Amino acid sequence: MKTLFNGKIMEKEEVKISFEDRGYHFGDGLYEAVRIYAGKMFMFTEHFERLVRGAAKIHLALPFTKEELLIMLEELITASEVGNGLVYFQISRGIVSPRQHLIPEKGSVEPVYLAYTLPFERPEAIQKNGQRATVIPDRRWLHCDIKSLSLMGNLLSLDEAVKKDYEDALLERDGVITEASASNAWFVIDGIIYTHPDGQLILPGITKQHLLHLAKENDLLVIEEAVKVSQLGDIDECFVTNSIYEIVPIVSIDNRLIGNGTPGPITEHLLKLYLESTVML
Ligand SMILES: Cc1ncc(COP(=O)(O)O)c(C=O)c1O
């Protein structure tokens, strides 16, 4: 497997990461997962911009410009010969020895970054049949807008859902659904599409951003407003979005069918628009 490690393309066996790396000790770093269609990254600029915003929030100086990272990742994609798939990228604050909690002065430590690609085909069966979700308390921290390496809260919520025999977790904080364990959550009620507004309680998804744009272009009404758990009995459709799985319908929540238990028409319409847009860009 080819990897990009601190600016160089190498085999994964050649990568050496120190146990004193703050990514290893603390999860002190950021990541991005960018979809690749036909050998090209989808919405790279938007992913980079989110990385820049995250870096500012955690006081990390990125050691490359957008153009430099773009060139390196394109080189990696070419070397990996990936057609459809994803590129996983992460950057940690770097090595600090001995281990200390205090965040070192910006620029005093060399960040460590790594990327690799994974071939991946569209999960057509999941997109067609949907998934079953359960509502779980959102026990994460209050910086969910930062795409932090530390995903413990997300991992535990998915783990809890799967142990209860569901496929995903919808997260509840203060009586409303924030998002899902690894995606943004959307609901349709009386023909209007709802999704939680950006802010500290959710990750501002790149897929969400793109879908908001597609909905507007196609005269579909979206309101960025949280849906209450008490409203879940009234929803007509539900789906979740992320860069890798694109749009996944949710067909039941806590074993209560949504509509007739199959993906709804607005979800299917948005999926069609989304898939078309990935070919045109
Ligand atoms: C918690 C969470 N919310 C939302 C998303 C969707 O983000 P994007 O559309 O940028 O992939 C993700 C993606 O990993 C996520 O982990």
Side-chain angles (χ1 to χ4, degrees), residues 193-237:
I193 306 162
Y194 293 88
T195 190
H196 197 290
D198 286 349
Q200 293 188 334
L201 300 183
I202 67 161
L203 185 77
I206 304 306
T207 318
K208 176 187 174 200
Q209 190 180 331
H210 187 46
L211 207 56
L212 287 174
H213 166 76
L214 288 176
K216 200 168 175 196
E217 245 185 17
N218 289 276
D219 297 323
L220 293 163
L221 182 56
V222 183
I223 302 181
E224 282 189 88
E225 200 177 280
V227 164
K228 297 189 183 74
V229 173
S230 60
Q231 287 175 281
L232 290 180
D234 303 326
I235 61 172
D236 303 311
E237 301 182 34

Side-chain angles (χ1 to χ4, degrees), residues 31 33 47 50 140 147 151 154 179-184 203-208 241-244:
Y31 78 103
H47 283 277
R50 183 170 63 190
R140 300 173 302 164
K147 205 160 168 61
L151 284 175
N154 304 63
E179 55 182 342
S181 72
S183 48
N184 292 112
L203 185 77
I206 304 306
T207 318
K208 176 187 174 200
T241 58
N242 69 25
S243 300
I244 311 308

Side-chain angles (χ1 to χ4, degrees), residues 1-3 10-13 15 76 80 115-119:
M1 179 195 257
K2 301 281 184 205
T3 58
M10 57 180 79
E11 292 297 333
K12 81 170 185 189
E13 291 74 17
V15 174
L76 172 69
S80 315
Y116 56 85
T117 65
L118 288 174

